[in-house]
Amino acid sequence: MSKLLLTDLNPEQQNAVTTDSQYTIVLAGAGSGKTRVLVHRIAWLCLEKQYPPHSIFAVTFTNKAAAEMQERIQALVGEGYFNGMWVGTFHGLTHRLLRMFSEQAKLPANFQLIDTEDQNRLVKRIFRELKIDEKQWSSKECVAFISAHKEKGLRADDIIVADPKQMMWQNIYRDYQAICDRVGYVDFSELILRAYELLCANKDVLNYCHQRFSNILIDEFQDTNQIQYRLVQKLAGDTANVMIVGDDDQSIYSWRGANADNLQLFINDYPDTEIIRLEQNYRSTSTILDAANQLIANNQNRLGKNLWTDSGVGEKIALYVGFNDIDEARFVIGQIKKRHDEGEPYASCAILYRNNVQSRIFEDTLLQAGLPYQIYGSIRFYERQEVKLALAYLRLLHDHNNDIAFEATVNTPTRGIGNVTLDKVKLTAKQNAISLWDACLMLIQTNGLTERQRSGISRFLELMESIYDEVGQMPFYKQLDVIIKLSGVQQMYEQEPGIKGQSRLENLEELVSAAEQFYGNNENTVIEDSQTGRTLTVLESFLAYTSLESREVSKEQDSVQLMTLHSAKGLEFDNVFIVGLEEGLFPAQRSAQENDRMEEERRLAYVGITRARKHLTLTLCELRRLYGRDERNLPSRFLAELPIERLNEISYRGFTTPQGLSANDLSKQEQFINQRKKSYLEKTRESDGYTLGRKVKHHRFGEGTIINLDGEGDHRRVQIAFVNEGIKWLVIKLANLTLI
């Protein structure tokens, strides 16, 4: 069996699969087969090292990746072995742990997962109670504040506030958590923090985890945040074997709490860590990899590796310089059409951009050309308005004490139950520490409502009770179908004009189908742990699934793929077009002043380049209309960091040659250099010291960083991002700047 598990693995992959080190970092470059290594490692531990399946605790970052890993593990070890393993996302596995030990975690057994929209609704409720002006203060910002501090492992009382605004957010965080604890709400950040606190506070639970999970494997470790790192440490203790797989060159999510330094921190915390580098790439040509390697080498803070392949040199990287953004889009769509005419599917082509706003021009051009396309990463199925509404009705039907479900459904469709009525219900609920549903009953019994208010509330309660009487014994997918019809939801969307209403109705039909499929697959198999006996009903499992699952957009139709560079991580395509490679756009202007942020921008470019299997095209334009104004930006500094011999420039004007010389008199390299005399590379060689990235000081505006240059002689200008005064254009001759 051992030989079979190691078949078709290269020497470094074999080393990673068979290592006996207690602590291992697998530094896995793009396209180096890291999932294969993880899966074979788990199989090796079970079949060769004889570890029981329930000793495996394996974490990956998306539900899609977890499902793929589960499928591949089962194929290697068999379903019987797999059933005892814990394989999933951080959120999914901590959710499972808290279900098992809900009492020890001080949670009700039927605690309710809530998403960002539910959090926002709850914070708005607190705003109203505290008479905070919702027009002046952002509830979404407050939710982000709460989540960010939970991801750092901080409760409200742990936060050291810096200003009055943070003090207000801190107080709301305190009230928010008090409500959640009282009624049993758990948000996604709370899942991990509460699980960590459980392990810290309860020795019995900690000992259970230490005795059970002797092998911990974490994928995409560069994307972990502070509380996730601490959770891994707590689970591992001193005895577990820990393998972390990651790539510091692909750490691109600092804006949502990810800490690329966790890889280095792991080495510091566990000095005996073995580092295994997977550098052989099975995805891209050597031309593409050489460009990626040379680009990322400009980053200073990295563990270091060099991707290589034996799959051939491949075509040069095309670089297109367009006249304007329309010309750029037409070129890209023209190239895609050409590829398709040559027999390649549209889905093999991906357009990657730094900013979502860039998609519009490409969408318009695709529509005009009659080419099918999809925006990858659009609103997920279970986050769509109509789907969440139907699920809220289902939740309230089976749990009258679910306040968030009550608020979502009570006046949707409209029933004449206004904010004044709801405020009275909420006040009664708060004063008596009861649910909104029970508060309604109390107000009706005590005549605490006006006749009109009582009529609206009574009709809603009676509607829910009548639906329950009708559907109580049905499977939950049939209940959903009846709920959608009897609640008025279907009629509401039937009245919505145009294709949007029809689309919503189709989504509701799909929801019922999804529920039926889930019921059929899980009717006799619920989430269960043999050692604790804690189980979920099939309905509880489905509702948890809808909260945790991230559905992909349907890919039935062959379509061009459009997405941000962040969304592209983990994907690969034969033909990749990275567009808008201009200073201020990519790299983003806001990153110009901080080296750490610029390095992350470079990692983002590295991720984009390594998505390409066969053909890579980079584009920019001389004139771009963005946010309602025309801009002339310099070529991106990243273009100057690529190996010139790997590039083949195409321009709307053709190659520019000096007067008196023909194109035949110049090599491609010389033509390329002449074409880009005013590129980023040339601008950094200006003799007067005013170069991109240079720090300067102005007598009035203070210190700043040069992010763009324009003009010549007395008219030469610099665009400076000042620390305290924003971004300004200044004429060098008149500005009296001091170089720092």
Side-chain angles (χ1 to χ4, degrees):
M1 176 57 76
S2 60
K3 288 184 178 179
L4 289 174
L5 288 176
L6 302 179
T7 301
D8 297 330
L9 297 180
N10 66 40
E12 290 75 23
Q13 290 174 331
Q14 290 181 13
N15 189 15
V17 168
T18 62
T19 182
D20 289 324
S21 298
Q22 184 178 1
Y23 304 112
T24 310
I25 288 180
V26 179
L27 204 60
S32 62
K34 68 180 179 64
T35 304
R36 182 178 177 83
V37 166
L38 272 172
V39 168
H40 281 248
R41 172 66 175 173
I42 291 170
W44 179 269
L45 290 169
C46 292
L47 301 180
E48 202 61 34
K49 292 296 185 178
Q50 299 299 305
Y51 282 102
H54 68 255
S55 74
I56 304 295
F57 186 95
V59 185
T60 189
F61 262 76
T62 66
N63 289 302
K64 180 181 177 182
E68 180 187 352
M69 189 182 292
Q70 291 170 9
E71 202 172 290
R72 290 169 70 168
I73 293 169
Q74 285 187 52
L76 275 180
V77 303
E79 191 171 339
Y81 257 98
F82 174 77
N83 283 342
M85 297 180 191
W86 279 31
V87 180
T89 63
F90 271 110
H91 293 111
L93 296 181
T94 50
H95 171 253
R96 185 171 178 177
L97 186 69
L98 291 175
R99 288 289 182 193
M100 284 174 56
F101 299 107
S102 57
E103 184 179 349
Q104 294 88 334
K106 298 178 183 178
L107 288 169
N110 64 339
F111 69 81
Q112 172 61 50
L113 286 175
I114 61 173
D115 60 15
T116 305
E117 190 174 319
D118 296 326
Q119 288 180 273
N120 196 47
R121 190 180 292 115
L122 191 53
V123 167
K124 282 186 175 182
R125 172 177 159 188
I126 296 170
F127 274 19
R128 289 193 290 273
E129 289 174 355
L130 297 177
K131 294 183 168 50
I132 294 172
D133 187 353
E134 292 182 47
K135 295 179 181 178
Q136 184 177 355
W137 302 100
S138 167
S139 58
K140 289 183 179 178
E141 184 182 346
C142 185
V143 168
F145 175 89
I146 293 170
S147 296
H149 284 88
K150 286 190 177 187
E151 287 167 3
K152 294 176 182 176
L154 299 175
R155 292 296 183 189
D157 292 337
D158 301 324
I159 301 170
I160 300 173
V161 296
D163 53 50
K165 184 186 202 178
Q166 287 192 1
M167 186 178 293
M168 184 170 71
W169 287 165
Q170 181 187 41
N171 290 332
I172 293 172
Y173 178 3
R174 199 177 283 116
D175 291 348
Y176 164 88
Q177 196 58 48
I179 294 172
C180 289
D181 290 343
R182 176 172 61 82
V183 297
Y185 294 154
V186 177
D187 59 54
F188 287 161
S189 299
E190 180 72 16
L191 281 172
I192 301 172
L193 177 54
R194 184 66 69 106
Y196 173 73
E197 291 174 338
L198 171 65
L199 296 178
C200 291
N202 193 298
K203 289 185 178 179
D204 291 337
V205 176
L206 183 63
N207 289 336
Y208 166 81
C209 291
H210 285 170
Q211 291 169 14
R212 173 168 183 166
F213 302 122
S214 51
N215 292 286
I216 297 174
L217 304 97
I218 314 293
D219 192 12
E220 304 285 9
F221 197 76
Q222 76 280 350
D223 293 336
T224 53
N225 59 34
Q226 291 182 38
I227 193 63
Q228 289 166 343
Y229 182 85
R230 286 157 65 181
L231 177 72
V232 170
Q233 280 190 307
K234 205 71 183 174
L235 278 170
D238 297 325
T239 57
N241 300 314
V242 183
M243 174 175 282
I244 64 174
V245 180
D247 182 3
D248 55 341
D249 290 334
Q250 295 189 71
S251 179
I252 58 174
Y253 297 120
S254 65
W255 48 276
R256 66 185 193 197
N259 186 6
D261 293 337
N262 280 350
L263 281 162
Q264 187 61 57
L265 188 60
F266 188 88
I267 296 171
N268 296 341
D269 289 340
Y270 304 98
D272 296 333
T273 295
E274 178 185 12
I275 300 177
I276 300 171
R277 288 174 169 81
L278 303 184
E279 297 176 304
Q280 184 173 357
N281 176 282
Y282 295 92
R283 175 188 299 160
S284 307
T285 65
S286 64
T287 292
I288 292 168
L289 296 182
D290 285 351
N293 288 331
Q294 188 159 318
L295 172 77
I296 202 64
N298 288 277
N299 274 6
Q300 301 301 310
N301 303 315
R302 55 191 296 260
L303 294 174
K305 63 184 177 309
N306 204 58
L307 297 179
W308 63 275
T309 184
D310 57 11
S311 62
V313 175
E315 293 184 6
K316 283 191 174 185
I317 298 167
L319 173 63
Y320 183 74
V321 184
F323 167 65
N324 58 21
D325 48 354
I326 297 173
D327 176 52
E328 177 190 34
R330 286 175 177 168
F331 170 78
V332 170
I333 278 46
Q335 291 298 300
I336 290 173
K337 194 171 187 306
K338 178 183 174 185
R339 296 281 184 199
H340 187 261
D341 291 344
E342 291 170 352
E344 297 190 49
Y346 287 125
S348 71
C349 300
I351 303 173
L352 312 184
Y353 36 82
R354 178 65 181 85
N355 193 319
N356 265 314
V357 74
Q358 293 171 255
S359 74
R360 183 195 61 79
I361 189 73
F362 291 96
E363 289 186 66
D364 288 349
T365 309
L366 284 160
L367 286 169
Q368 290 165 12
L371 271 60
Y373 71 92
Q374 290 181 338
I375 305 287
Y376 184 89
S378 61
I379 297 175
R380 292 173 291 182
F381 182 78
Y382 291 108
E383 291 181 347
R384 293 173 188 170
Q385 178 196 103
E386 60 277 10
V387 172
K388 290 192 70 174
L389 179 59
L391 289 172
Y393 271 101
L394 184 62
R395 292 182 195 280
L396 187 64
L397 194 71
H398 291 277
D399 180 9
H400 290 343
N401 294 322
N402 190 318
D403 287 357
I404 287 178
F406 182 95
E407 284 194 69
T409 57
V410 65
N411 200 40
T412 308
T414 55
R415 299 183 175 90
I417 303 171
N419 287 334
V420 174
T421 305
L422 288 176
D423 287 342
K424 187 178 290 189
V425 172
K426 290 171 186 175
L427 180 61
T428 302
K430 183 180 181 181
Q431 290 174 338
N432 295 277
I434 57 178
S435 68
L436 297 178
W437 181 284
D438 289 340
C440 289
L441 294 175
M442 176 181 285
L443 287 167
I444 291 171
Q445 292 166 359
T446 59
N447 294 320
L449 298 170
T450 66
E451 183 174 348
R452 183 177 179 182
Q453 290 172 336
R454 184 173 63 252
S455 174
I457 290 291
S458 296
R459 283 202 310 273
F460 177 66
L461 299 183
E462 289 165 5
L463 170 67
M464 295 304 297
E465 293 291 359
S466 67
I467 292 175
Y468 187 82
D469 289 340
E470 181 161 341
V471 306
Q473 303 305 313
M474 295 179 183
F476 73 83
Y477 66 89
K478 291 187 177 179
Q479 294 179 3
L480 255 179
D481 191 38
V482 174
I483 286 169
I484 290 166
K485 293 179 173 67
L486 296 187
S487 65
V489 169
Q490 179 171 303
Q491 183 180 6
M492 177 178 70
Y493 290 126
E494 283 174 344
Q495 293 172 351
E496 188 170 331
I499 195 169
K500 195 171 184 180
Q502 183 59 39
S503 177
R504 294 193 191 279
L505 291 170
E506 290 170 357
N507 285 334
L508 290 172
E509 291 176 6
E510 179 60 23
L511 174 63
V512 175
S513 298
E516 183 175 4
Q517 183 179 17
F518 188 94
Y519 183 88
N521 293 338
N522 295 276
E523 183 180 4
N524 299 313
T525 56
V526 296
I527 297 175
E528 180 177 314
D529 189 276
S530 58
Q531 298 187 36
T532 65
R534 174 71 183 120
T535 62
L536 297 177
T537 66
V538 66
L539 173 59
E540 289 172 331
S541 299
F542 176 71
L543 291 174
Y545 170 83
T546 61
S547 295
L548 293 168
E549 176 65 4
S550 172
R551 281 279 177 96
E552 302 291 346
V553 176
S554 171
K555 294 181 180 177
E556 292 178 5
Q557 185 180 10
D558 180 29
S559 305
V560 178
Q561 304 295 301
L562 277 69
M563 67 195 73
T564 64
L565 283 145
H566 282 99
S567 297
K569 187 171 178 291
L571 305 176
E572 56 185 75
F573 305 90
D574 283 349
N575 306 287
V576 168
F577 300 83
I578 303 178
V579 301
L581 275 157
E582 299 151 31
E583 285 293 307
L585 196 59
F586 188 31
Q589 201 165 66
R590 63 181 175 272
S591 301
Q593 298 179 66
E594 298 177 29
N595 186 59
D596 287 348
R597 294 179 71 168
M598 186 55 68
E599 290 211 344
E600 181 156 334
E601 291 285 309
R602 190 175 285 108
R603 291 195 293 269
L604 191 56
Y606 174 85
V607 166
I609 289 170
T610 54
R611 299 310 94 197
R613 285 194 287 249
K614 297 178 181 177
H615 310 289
L616 175 63
T617 302
L618 311 175
T619 71
L620 66 155
C621 60
E622 296 183 351
L623 180 68
R624 181 177 300 279
R625 188 162 184 81
L626 202 59
Y627 305 116
R629 60 180 182 271
D630 291 332
E631 295 182 355
R632 290 185 181 274
N633 298 319
L634 288 169
S636 169
R637 68 189 68 190
F638 300 148
L639 294 173
E641 296 172 356
L642 299 176
I644 199 168
E645 69 276 6
R646 297 296 192 186
L647 300 177
N648 177 35
E649 189 189 9
I650 312 161
S651 172
Y652 72 97
R653 294 171 302 197
F655 290 115
T656 302
T657 57
Q659 194 171 8
L661 292 177
S662 68
N664 293 332
D665 295 319
L666 292 171
S667 68
K668 288 285 187 182
Q669 182 168 329
E670 288 169 324
Q671 291 182 50
F672 178 77
I673 292 171
N674 285 318
Q675 180 68 21
R676 299 172 64 229
K677 277 190 175 180
K678 292 185 180 180
S679 70
Y680 177 85
L681 183 61
E682 295 298 319
K683 287 292 183 183
T684 59
R685 294 174 179 167
E686 294 286 352
S687 60
D688 59 5
Y690 291 99
T691 59
L692 292 179
R694 184 69 184 263
K695 301 285 186 183
V696 296
K697 188 173 183 179
H698 186 269
H699 68 283
R700 178 181 169 192
F701 303 134
E703 292 187 6
T705 304
I706 297 175
I707 60 174
N708 209 341
L709 299 108
D710 185 44
E712 296 177 355
D714 290 347
H715 301 290
R716 192 156 178 248
R717 302 187 304 159
V718 287
Q719 189 180 32
I720 303 171
F722 288 103
V723 175
N724 297 317
E725 298 291 334
I727 296 168
K728 299 182 183 297
W729 276 104
L730 300 175
V731 177
I732 293 175
K733 187 176 180 180
L734 304 175
N736 194 23
L737 295 167
T738 303
L739 298 173
I740 300 176

